Amino acid sequence: DQQVKQNSPSLSVQEGRISILNCDYTNSMFDYFLWYKKYPAEGPTFLISISSIKDKNEDGRFTVFLNKSAKHLSLHIVPSQPGDSAVYFCAASRNNNDMRFGAGTRLTVKP
Amino acid sequence: NAGVTQTPKFRVLKTGQSMTLLCAQDMNHEYMYWYRQDPGMGLRLIHYSVGEGTTAKGEVPDGYNVSRLKKQNFLLGLESAAPSQTSVYFCASSYRWDTQYFGPGTRLTVL
């Protein structure tokens, strides 16, 4: 039972343009959401997070949007850079208990 | 600071063999986790610990055991390895159920 879903396994964008990565979840009890970035042969690294009491969180070129009614979050990267090419995982937790990850989206930013 | 380290980086086992994966963190984190990553499945939580001497089951605990005898170490054991346990294993640690810091991973193949 995959409670966190990333339906796009891959995404390709041109350098300088916007990258939008999407994530859907099924459990309305999730109250904290995170995005992780993973390069090959390395562990995931934390990128940005958002609490369920907010609908937007921004950190430099990265913005996460949360739509609780649609159970949907998205990560926007503007402008995209070749170094952003990686696999991006969204994750969700509830009540400081449990953490569920999506299957990941491979982003390729072309120069 | 080394962060989170994992030993070994690679291992090949035969069906029925046993082994232990070691995770160490130097950030004084209370929480530690073991995940497995399989293609198309994202990261799935095997076991976790919320403090020294404690362990709890995650999403996919069967076939694995863990121990947290020291705060900085979290061991994952496979008593009788099966081909279905071929995967990449990640250890992580955190202060709470939020931002987790991951190790570089252990690639395990069970023949």
Side-chain angles (χ1 to χ4, degrees):
Chain A
D1 174 28
Q2 205 151 5
Q3 298 185 30
V4 178
K5 298 178 183 178
Q6 294 176 257
N7 292 320
S8 298
S10 64
L11 174 68
S12 181
V13 299
Q14 207 66 35
E15 181 179 5
R17 307 294 281 266
I18 184 171
S19 295
I20 300 176
L21 294 95
N22 294 304
C23 180
D24 297 295
Y25 59 95
T26 58
N27 191 338
S28 59
M29 298 301 291
F30 287 138
D31 57 8
Y32 195 73
F33 304 88
L34 309 91
W35 284 95
Y36 284 85
K37 176 179 180 179
K38 185 184 180 305
Y39 292 117
E42 295 183 9
T45 55
F46 170 74
L47 192 56
I48 192 169
S49 63
I50 187 167
S51 165
S52 60
I53 62 173
K54 295 185 175 181
D55 55 18
K56 177 182 175 182
N57 189 27
E58 202 169 344
D59 183 3
R61 296 185 297 112
F62 302 91
T63 303
V64 56
F65 295 93
L66 176 63
N67 182 333
K68 289 188 291 293
S69 60
K71 297 191 184 67
H72 177 83
L73 66 155
S74 60
L75 175 68
H76 292 209
I77 307 174
V78 184
S80 301
Q81 300 173 354
D84 296 329
S85 296
V87 177
Y88 289 78
F89 291 99
C90 68
S93 72
R94 59 184 176 91
N95 296 329
N96 278 330
N97 186 5
D98 200 6
M99 180 79 74
R100 297 296 174 111
F101 284 79
T105 296
R106 182 178 301 278
L107 173 66
T108 303
V109 180
K110 297 180 179 179
Chain B
N1 284 357
V4 179
T5 58
Q6 294 182 229
T7 308
K9 288 185 169 50
F10 304 93
R11 186 72 187 269
V12 178
L13 290 178
K14 295 181 179 178
T15 297
Q17 287 185 316
S18 63
M19 77 162 295
T20 300
L21 281 67
L22 171 64
C23 176
Q25 53 97 2
D26 61 3
M27 295 174 281
N28 202 34
H29 287 161
E30 290 293 334
Y31 290 59
M32 295 188 75
Y33 318 82
W34 276 107
Y35 290 90
R36 59 178 289 174
Q37 184 194 7
D38 301 293
M41 300 293 289
L43 290 148
R44 291 182 293 169
L45 183 63
I46 304 171
H47 286 280
Y48 65 95
S49 167
V50 300
E52 182 178 320
T54 75
T55 63
K57 294 180 180 179
E59 186 183 355
V60 289
D62 294 341
Y64 305 95
N65 56 74
V66 288
S67 63
R68 184 104 181 263
L69 299 179
K70 292 183 179 180
K71 185 177 184 178
Q72 64 268 33
N73 295 337
F74 196 30
L75 278 62
L76 177 71
L78 286 74
E79 290 185 352
S80 180
S84 61
Q85 294 178 305
T86 293
S87 188
V88 180
Y89 292 85
F90 289 101
C91 175
S93 69
S94 66
Y95 287 112
R96 297 179 301 276
W97 273 104
D98 46 27
T99 306
Q100 297 179 14
Y101 296 84
F102 284 82
T106 295
R107 185 173 295 274
L108 175 66
T109 301
V110 182
L111 302 176

